[in-house]
Amino acid sequence: MMDQRPEAAWYAVHCQPLKERLAVTLLRDQLGLAIYLPEIKRRVRGRLHSTPLFPRYLFVRADPQHLAMSQVNATAGVLRLVAFDGVPQPVPATVIAALHERVERCNAEGGLLGHGFQPGDAVRLKHGPLQGLEAVFVGPLRASERVRVLIEFLGHCRQAEVSVDALERVAPAPAVPPAARPPRRTRGRGRPINARGRA
């Protein structure tokens, strides 16, 4: 039975290497928790495989008033709940919903695909609440970098991922030629330069 109490919140869970699916099964079956393990399709040697979007991380929905969070930490395959200053960090339900929708859409379109942007390219957001904002493209993100983005997000850093469909390339500003230097009028110490280049 899934925990549907309104007091329940989503939390990130750090798992042991390659133990995400074991942790999902045990947290769901033994503790009755709602689990979300974002998995993305990737093409490896011509075949599509589903892999965790954030390797070694998943999300659980739990109510700390009705479940000792130490039970989550004691589950096989789990290292610990993600916490800052010893306090488990809740993840807004809106973020989980948006992440789920984005992953589903990406998988429906064939998984992680290529694009025309290169790291360092100047880009602009074409739509959404940040429309018109200019940024620098840093993707595509490797698995370890996606985990870094997740942890920085949970720690309230001001970084975000957006769909590549929301980006457009920003044309580089035209180079401004340096201002022409005025002709020298003196040789130094106020001595004038004559037409033949002699003082």
Side-chain angles (χ1 to χ4, degrees):
M1 180 178 177
M2 299 300 180
D3 191 341
Q4 299 298 331
R5 283 185 284 266
E7 299 86 358
W10 287 98
Y11 297 90
V13 175
H14 189 194
C15 300
Q16 296 170 357
L18 305 177
K19 298 294 185 181
E20 300 95 343
R21 292 182 180 90
L22 171 64
V24 165
T25 300
L26 297 179
L27 290 168
R28 182 185 59 226
D29 296 348
Q30 294 182 359
L31 299 182
L33 298 175
I35 311 294
Y36 179 44
L37 173 61
E39 292 189 291
I40 201 79
K41 293 179 181 176
R42 295 184 63 92
R43 189 167 296 279
V44 180
R45 296 177 182 174
R47 301 180 63 182
L48 282 176
H49 298 269
S50 290
T51 61
L53 178 62
F54 306 114
R56 299 182 62 183
Y57 289 85
L58 55 83
F59 301 93
V60 299
R61 189 169 188 265
D63 179 3
Q65 300 297 321
H66 294 88
L67 174 73
M69 299 305 246
S70 59
Q71 291 182 262
V72 175
N73 291 342
T75 301
V78 170
L79 286 177
R80 65 188 64 84
L81 283 157
V82 175
F84 296 93
D85 296 325
V87 179
Q89 180 67 48
V91 180
T94 53
V95 171
I96 297 296
L99 179 60
H100 186 273
E101 189 270 338
R102 182 68 53 79
V103 168
E104 290 295 309
R105 186 188 332 149
C106 181
N107 285 334
E109 294 173 354
L112 293 179
L113 303 176
H115 46 74
F117 298 114
Q118 297 294 323
D121 282 353
V123 294
R124 181 186 297 111
L125 279 82
K126 297 187 293 186
H127 48 74
L130 301 179
Q131 181 177 359
L133 181 69
E134 293 189 6
V136 175
F137 185 77
V138 297
L141 299 181
R142 296 188 296 271
S144 60
E145 293 171 324
R146 293 196 300 271
V147 167
R148 176 182 53 78
V149 169
L150 170 66
I151 296 304
E152 289 176 345
F153 167 74
L154 294 175
H156 303 292
C157 289
R158 298 176 182 272
Q159 293 191 19
E161 283 188 77
V162 298
S163 170
V164 71
D165 298 333
L167 300 177
E168 63 182 356
R169 195 180 309 277
V170 175
V176 178
R181 294 181 61 183
R184 290 185 63 185
R185 302 289 184 198
T186 67
R187 289 179 175 272
R189 299 189 182 185
R191 295 179 296 164
I193 299 175
N194 62 20
R196 296 182 180 178
R198 294 181 303 202

